Amino acid sequence: MVVGISDEVLSAQELTAEVVECRFLTPFIREIRLRLPGNDFEYAAGSYVHVRVPPYQLEYAALELTTEAKSACEARGVPGARVNESEIRRAYSLATPCEQEPGTIVLNVRLMVPPEGSHALPVGVGSTYMWSLQPGDKLEIVGPLGDFRARESDADMIFIGGGAGMAPLRAIIRSELQYARSGRKIDYWYGARARADLFYATEFDSLQEEHANFRWQPVLSEPLAADGWEGPTGFVHTIALQVLKSQNRDLAACEFYVCGPPPMLSATRKILADNKVPETSVFFDDFGI
Ligand SMILES: Cc1cc2nc3c(=O)[nH]c(=O)nc-3n(C[C@H](O)[C@H](O)[C@H](O)COP(=O)(O)OP(=O)(O)OC[C@H]3O[C@@H](n4cnc5c(N)ncnc54)[C@H](O)[C@@H]3O)c2cc1C
């Protein structure tokens, strides 16, 4: 029997990283900055790593959670402790281009609380572990992995994202603008529920000011009155397509890069197909969350 091993697996490294910084980006997304041994971990923007989640038992009362995450856990009656019986792996995308800070990687991890209306289901086992990490902790990673990356062409690039789908899209956009400097026209449409769920917004505002070929547009689906939101409201894929069509963009000639929650991903792929965008021009990463 011949067993094929892909090049990506062969080139993946197993490393012990050290957590250097953690911060909340939104009520449910935590940024984790990791220092790797040495500076030679190279990866294409859009890649992800596998993290090894060891067996553990954690009490939620001892975890640093946002007020919103705490309330969501209480409302769903999640058990007070989380147990992981044996080692598992979870995939997390790299949120910065490799050139930005050699030897350091950044992850955006969404805490996977059970669905609204559920009762007594546990919070996700991998994301709970990732939210328990503190500076100085060690994390075993394997990577880089994946083939979600910018294609080499002159086509306009249109990014549509939501939730933790920000991570690979941000890495690719920053890589194109700051390092590849191809001059390709890049649009980024990012959908969030309310203003509190938007993150890296000032960074994208600055990139837009610095790069004439880059435009970004956040879209909120359920802005709060207190948000004072004056931007577009609705589903990000619907608004993006409306605006692109009103600009008479040749959609079939653009490349689309999509990453976000499963309903957003499938709705975006459908609306692109309905608008005659060839499947071969649509690139996406399916997180399954
Ligand atoms: C290529 C790739 C890249 C990814 N990149 C990222 C990233 O950058 N950031 C990110 O946050 N995620 C990313 N993911 C997703 C990530 O790998 C995990 O899938 C995610 O963190 C959820 O894992 P978990 O162990 O926390 O949840 P799991 O334990 O797998 O649970 C998933 C959900 O099921 C619910 N659940 C638990 N028990 C039950 C039950 N009995 N019945 C019904 N529901 C139940 C949980 O509450 C949770 O909401 C990526 C995935 C892939 C494939």
Side-chain angles (χ1 to χ4, degrees):
M1 186 174 73
V2 178
V3 179
I5 301 176
S6 69
D7 288 348
E8 71 159 12
V9 172
L10 284 176
S11 62
Q13 303 180 47
E14 298 212 19
L15 298 167
T16 303
E18 181 176 329
V19 178
V20 287
E21 195 186 346
C22 304
R23 63 177 176 137
F24 296 119
L25 296 171
T26 76
F28 293 95
I29 298 182
R30 191 172 191 247
E31 181 187 74
I32 302 173
R33 182 174 290 272
L34 298 157
R35 177 79 207 150
L36 305 176
N39 291 342
D40 58 352
F41 185 75
E42 290 187 0
Y43 59 90
S47 304
Y48 66 92
V49 291
H50 268 147
V51 307
R52 292 182 195 273
V53 180
Y56 71 80
Q57 168 150 2
L58 286 166
E59 308 287 327
Y60 283 105
L63 280 193
E64 196 191 348
L65 296 179
T66 58
T67 318
E68 295 86 346
K70 247 184 229 155
S71 316
C73 290
E74 280 163 18
R76 292 157 176 79
V78 305
R82 187 61 161 120
V83 180
N84 181 33
E85 303 282 0
S86 53
E87 182 182 291
I88 54 158
R89 287 184 181 202
R90 287 290 184 265
Y92 293 102
S93 299
L94 300 161
T96 48
C98 165
E99 300 87 342
Q100 190 177 310
E101 208 180 333
T104 297
I105 57 170
V106 176
L107 311 178
N108 296 162
V109 180
R110 178 172 191 83
L111 184 70
M112 289 304 296
V113 295
E116 235 170 332
S118 63
H119 182 68
L121 289 176
V123 180
V125 66
S127 54
T128 294
Y129 179 71
M130 297 300 283
W131 272 49
S132 76
L133 294 172
Q134 294 298 331
D137 287 347
K138 300 282 194 280
L139 184 70
E140 303 290 328
I141 66 159
V142 179
L145 298 166
D147 59 3
F148 184 52
R149 61 198 50 165
R151 275 22 187 206
E152 278 183 32
S153 80
D154 294 330
D156 291 358
M157 306 170 90
I158 297 174
F159 293 77
I160 303 180
M166 166 68 85
L169 301 183
R170 175 183 185 232
I172 298 174
I173 291 168
R174 291 187 59 158
S175 170
E176 283 296 310
L177 293 175
Q178 298 177 288
Y179 303 102
R181 294 180 173 275
S182 62
R184 293 170 72 178
K185 193 167 176 181
I186 300 177
D187 289 44
Y188 183 23
W189 296 84
Y190 182 79
R193 191 177 279 200
R195 195 184 274 274
D197 303 309
L198 278 182
F199 59 111
Y200 297 143
T202 49
E203 171 184 314
F204 285 106
D205 288 343
S206 304
L207 285 171
Q208 183 167 256
E209 273 174 29
E210 289 157 19
H211 299 271
N213 57 324
F214 177 61
R215 285 281 163 274
W216 99 289
Q217 180 60 65
V219 176
L220 298 185
S221 58
E222 295 171 36
L224 304 176
D227 286 344
W229 181 247
E230 291 176 354
T233 301
F235 289 126
V236 63
H237 58 283
T238 316
I239 306 268
L241 266 285
Q242 268 168 12
V243 174
L244 292 166
K245 282 161 77 173
S246 74
Q247 295 169 340
N248 293 319
R249 297 282 289 270
D250 180 0
L251 299 182
C254 297
E255 287 173 2
F256 287 82
Y257 295 84
V258 190
C259 193
M264 191 220 94
L265 184 57
S266 55
T268 305
R269 292 180 66 198
K270 180 173 183 317
I271 206 169
L272 293 176
D274 291 347
N275 282 279
K276 313 257 177 309
V277 175
E279 261 183 47
T280 49
S281 302
V282 181
F283 309 102
F284 60 92
D285 217 3
D286 187 356
F287 285 6
I289 56 164

